[in-house]
Structure formats: C-alpha cells, structure tokens
Amino acid sequence: EAGVVQSPRYKIIEKKQPVAFWCNPISGHNTLYWYRQNLGQGPELLIRYENEEAVDDSQLPKDRFSAERLKGVDSTLKIQPAELGDSAVYLCASSLVRGAETQYFGPGTRLLVL
Amino acid sequence: GDSVTQMEGPVTLSEEAFLTINCTYTATGYPSLFWYVQYPGEGLQLLLKATKADDKGSNKGFEATYRKETTSFHLEKGSVQVSDSAVYFCALRPANAGKSTFGDGTTLTVKP
C-alpha cells in the first residue's frame, strides 16, 4: 500500500514569490492534516480536513496561506507571497477517520525562502 | 493550552547502551500519548502509544508508560542499535480527539 505522497520534496524560492505543495493521502483516509515543522521543533498543525471540509484552520495564517481539498482526496497548500520566515518543512498526514489513533505522515516538502 | 516538554538533545550513546528520553506533558483531562520517530529524509512514524493511565506502549524494543501522577511518558530501550539513530518526538492528543501537540524532538545518535 502506498503511503502519503508529497511533492515537491524540496523547493527554493525568493521572498514574495508564490509556492504550492501537493499531498495525496493514503487511499480511503478521510482526514488530512497539514503541519509546519520549523528547524529543531516539532510539527505544528496548520489545517485539518474531514473529507473536503476544513474543520480546524485556526493556526493557518490566512493572509498568505490557503489550502484546498476539492474532492476530498488530494490537497494543495499555497503560500502567496512567501516570506523568509516561511522556510520550514511542510508535512502532510492522513488518518482513516477523525480521532483515529494513528496519523500517517508523508516525507514532507522542505521549503527555503531566500 | 496543552504542551509537551522533551528532554533536550542531542543524545549520543554507544551501541547496546540503555536509552531514556524524558517527556512530560500538560493537558486537561486524559489525553492519549504517543512517541513518533523520524529517520533522516523521512516523515514521522508512530513508534508507540498509550491511551490511558498506567498503559504501557511498546514496539521494536522501545517502551513507555503513561504516568498520570507525574504527567510523564518517558521512552526507554534496554539496548540501542546504530539503526535507532533518529529524531524522537513525544506527542499528545486530547481526549476529544482535537489537535495533537508535539514536543520539539530529541536527536539520538548511536555509535558502534
């Protein structure tokens, strides 16, 4: 069974440029999470989806970040415009249902903003 | 709000040494507790979990016991291997299945 797939794995951009990350969760997983992991820290939740509905986006900086999961399967996270402080690893995870004990993480996208 | 505090790293051990990585938490109610492991270039993988007080989670020789009286969930392994070198994260999830909170991670390096 394929795990959570993320692309790209690495991205280098200049500040003020837009960037997008893509995530394909494990087949059949209804819940999808986007996390940001700063260097030397643990992941912090940005947004959680139940199917196509964003049910927790309280930590998403909505002035520059947006996310979508149109058909309740794969998801895109966008930053526009990017700032230097956005440099981090962006992790996607999925779980079978809300409250499921196990979240399965993708390998992440490492973003460097210059 | 909820918080997780992990033993600061990095931790360097010789092969076959005993490992302890401390983790304490602050949360209301009765959260579930987790240890995740992150190998270089990979995503986080669930290592073990415990869902109620006095539960012991175990996997691949690692163990952790949910201690409500000390609000702790320390990770232990009796004999580490070079292949255990990774970053270990302690995490909690509230009883209402809300947002998970992660510690900052502890880097373990095991030398032959």
Side-chain angles (χ1 to χ4, degrees):
Chain A
E1 178 183 288
V4 176
V5 179
Q6 290 189 247
S7 69
R9 291 295 307 275
Y10 304 92
K11 189 74 177 179
I12 301 174
I13 62 172
E14 293 187 346
K15 63 180 181 182
K16 301 185 181 179
Q17 294 299 305
V19 65
F21 314 124
W22 177 79
C23 171
N24 192 30
I26 293 173
S27 178
H29 281 196
N30 296 323
T31 305
L32 184 146
Y33 313 76
W34 281 104
Y35 289 89
R36 177 168 59 189
Q37 185 178 16
N38 293 315
L39 187 65
Q41 298 182 14
E44 294 180 319
L45 183 70
L46 292 173
I47 188 168
R48 174 168 61 93
Y49 282 93
E50 300 292 338
N51 297 303
E52 65 275 9
E53 182 182 359
V55 295
D56 184 355
D57 62 356
S58 57
Q59 302 301 310
L60 190 71
K62 298 181 183 63
D63 56 335
R64 297 183 300 108
F65 286 65
S66 64
E68 60 183 14
R69 193 185 185 199
L70 293 176
K71 297 183 179 179
V73 181
D74 58 344
S75 175
T76 302
L77 177 69
K78 298 178 181 178
I79 308 175
Q80 182 170 9
E83 298 179 352
L84 297 176
D86 296 331
S87 296
V89 177
Y90 291 84
L91 296 167
C92 180
S94 69
S95 62
L96 193 56
V97 293
R98 177 182 184 273
E101 292 295 324
T102 302
Q103 295 181 34
Y104 295 85
F105 283 82
T109 296
R110 187 176 297 275
L111 173 68
L112 179 60
V113 181
L114 302 176
Chain B
D2 297 344
S3 66
V4 175
T5 302
Q6 278 185 241
M7 167 181 177
E8 289 189 15
V11 174
T12 302
L13 297 173
S14 298
E15 207 165 22
E16 300 183 3
F18 184 86
L19 168 71
T20 299
I21 300 178
N22 290 339
C23 171
T24 57
Y25 68 91
T26 302
T28 55
Y30 300 91
S32 294
L33 301 175
F34 305 83
W35 276 101
Y36 287 85
V37 59
Q38 187 174 32
Y39 298 103
E42 299 183 13
L44 279 72
Q45 302 173 26
L46 180 65
L47 181 60
L48 53 83
K49 65 185 180 186
T51 58
K52 60 182 187 295
D54 300 326
D55 267 3
K56 177 184 285 187
S58 60
N59 185 27
K60 300 181 181 180
F62 291 89
E63 293 183 339
T65 301
Y66 190 143
R67 302 288 189 197
K68 186 161 181 63
E69 63 276 14
T70 55
T71 61
S72 64
F73 193 55
H74 304 322
L75 182 68
E76 296 182 338
K77 186 175 185 182
S79 177
V80 294
Q81 306 301 311
V82 172
S83 58
D84 294 325
S85 298
V87 183
Y88 292 82
F89 292 90
C90 184
L92 69 82
R93 195 187 70 208
N96 64 1
K99 185 181 71 171
S100 294
T101 299
F102 290 79
D104 286 340
T106 301
T107 300
L108 171 65
T109 301
V110 180
K111 296 187 173 181

